[in-house]
Amino acid sequence: MESLKRKRSHLACQPCRERKRKCDGRKPCITCTEWGYECHYETPSRRKISRIPGQSTPSSPARPQSSQPDVRTPNTVESDNCGLVRNLEANSGAAFVRKLGLRIDPMNAPRLNLFAWNIGARQLSSPVNSASALPIVEVTSLEHMKSLAQVYFDKVDPCYGFIDRYQFFDRLDLRWKSPLSPSIYDSVLAGVAAIGCLFSQRNVTITELHLVRSAHSCLDSCHLSGPPSIDLLTGWTLRSIYLRMTDSPHSTWIASSTLMHLVEASGLHSESPSSVLLPAAQCDPDLRRRLVGVARHLNTWTSFDLGLSLVSFQNNELPLPILPKPGDYTAEVLGLLPVSVSLDPGRLKDETDLTSTLSKILEGTHSQPPSVLAQCNLVLCILRRIHTENIDIPSTLEEQVLGFLKKGLSSARALVMDCSPWHQVPNVSFQIICVLLVMDTRSSLAVLPDAMQTLSLVASTYDTETMREAYGAACLLVLLHQQRRKYDVAIFTETLNIHQQNPQITSPPQFNPTTQDSSWLEALVADFPGLQRVDLDQFLNMDMTNYLLGGSG
């Protein structure tokens, strides 16, 4: 087994050297093959050894003095780096899917891509004029703005509740009474209305695109002469939410990282009573914690998906728990934040931590579909980490996981029918398919049709290029898995037919196990991960003679 492990090459390729990844020295190496890098090597130049005065020569090596600080050995650093890379790949859905495809069929595996990260960009049949952004009061009427805002507060605010509803509608009325007085709060008005369009129309409208452009222009044209205001932070939070549901991962990561830096610049994240804020940044403490929590939630998971750095504050404090409100389940979503942050790839977790964390999350009660999907997204990430560490979970916990994944699929279908394209609707559906294929048990594969049906519903409802590509990738993974199984069955069939081709063997040897034989066989089966869920008693009671000779058994 030791010879099968990938060994570190003395000469690493240039992409692996730059990214500090393990390299096996091949051309191309396995890391470049998995991640799609262009593998190439550079001939190392021979370094001259400079002599430092007082330094020992190779002929008389000096022993290190005991007063020297303890320095980690290269093997320890390499082990830590390998653990970091494994966790980065496990947190990232894209890397997980790529490695799954390579394990099934290296030649036909899907390329590295964040499939079904959201529903994707919904395009108009004809492009919008690329003129400058319109003022918010010229995009649509006040009545239409109020109806779109109502959609937002009915569908989105209960999950991401960080805006004062009554203050919003008051300022909306004031804005239309003063059409020539723009302010940074226009980004909040336009952002709320744009998300309201997204959650009320399955196809994009010109109004939605103008609202997005207006909010974008308002935020980008803002010049900071001091700490950012709460209005600016709210506008950037809405922008990050909209991008997470419709745009590319990198655009969302940049926006969410910008938001986190603005939060820190405002001091809004600090719970210290000595924190000095501008009067404009002062707000209700509960709303402040809600906004900071949503901002960190968005940045954390976008960073995980891309395998990029997340933005953390100097004191690395998490916002205090928020106050519960009737009809609001923001507390459920933000309650997952401590566990989410603990999955930072730099924080290595052992087997006990991951298994107990998974059990704890599964025990949580989440009332509404968006909150259930946030919980499901966290469960899937933990399962990917468990798989990466080659940890076996108890069968009872596995049954609990499968039952919860079914609940997640049901929630995704409910949101699709409700015209609520939360980013986790396609993402969770696709990742469940991948996790089921990795689990590769009879119970897990039985859930596969339900998962494919859910993803098909999302793709047919939101017919975007992103969803068509995601559905095609899911079908390809299932097809490759099926093809591999066909090859495996052919090998098993050929193996069992060998005795029929040997005339010297008239009948297979009889096997009547005693209690001692059974215990030995149970220990042997336990060493084969693929056989650990086989009903051994049923297997031992079979008539093996009839089975091997082609009978019914």
Side-chain angles (χ1 to χ4, degrees), residues 55 205 313 423 528:
Q55 184 180 18
T205 62
F313 305 128
H423 52 278
F528 291 86

Side-chain angles (χ1 to χ4, degrees), residues 21 35 180-181 257 260 292 335 356 405 423 444 463 472 511 521 550:
R21 294 182 181 274
W35 285 83
L180 300 180
S181 302
S257 298
M260 288 291 289
V292 174
S356 60
L405 295 184
H423 52 278
S444 66
D463 187 18
F511 180 60
L521 186 58

Side-chain angles (χ1 to χ4, degrees), residues 369-386:
S371 179
V372 171
L373 289 186
Q375 181 187 16
C376 193
N377 181 57
L378 179 55
V379 167
L380 289 169
C381 183
I382 297 174
L383 288 173
R384 293 195 296 265
R385 290 281 288 269
I386 287 176

Side-chain angles (χ1 to χ4, degrees), residues 465-483:
E465 181 180 353
T466 298
M467 288 311 306
R468 290 192 294 270
E469 186 179 40
Y471 186 70
C475 291
L476 175 61
L477 288 173
V478 175
L479 182 63
L480 293 177
H481 197 82
Q482 179 192 44
Q483 192 63 42

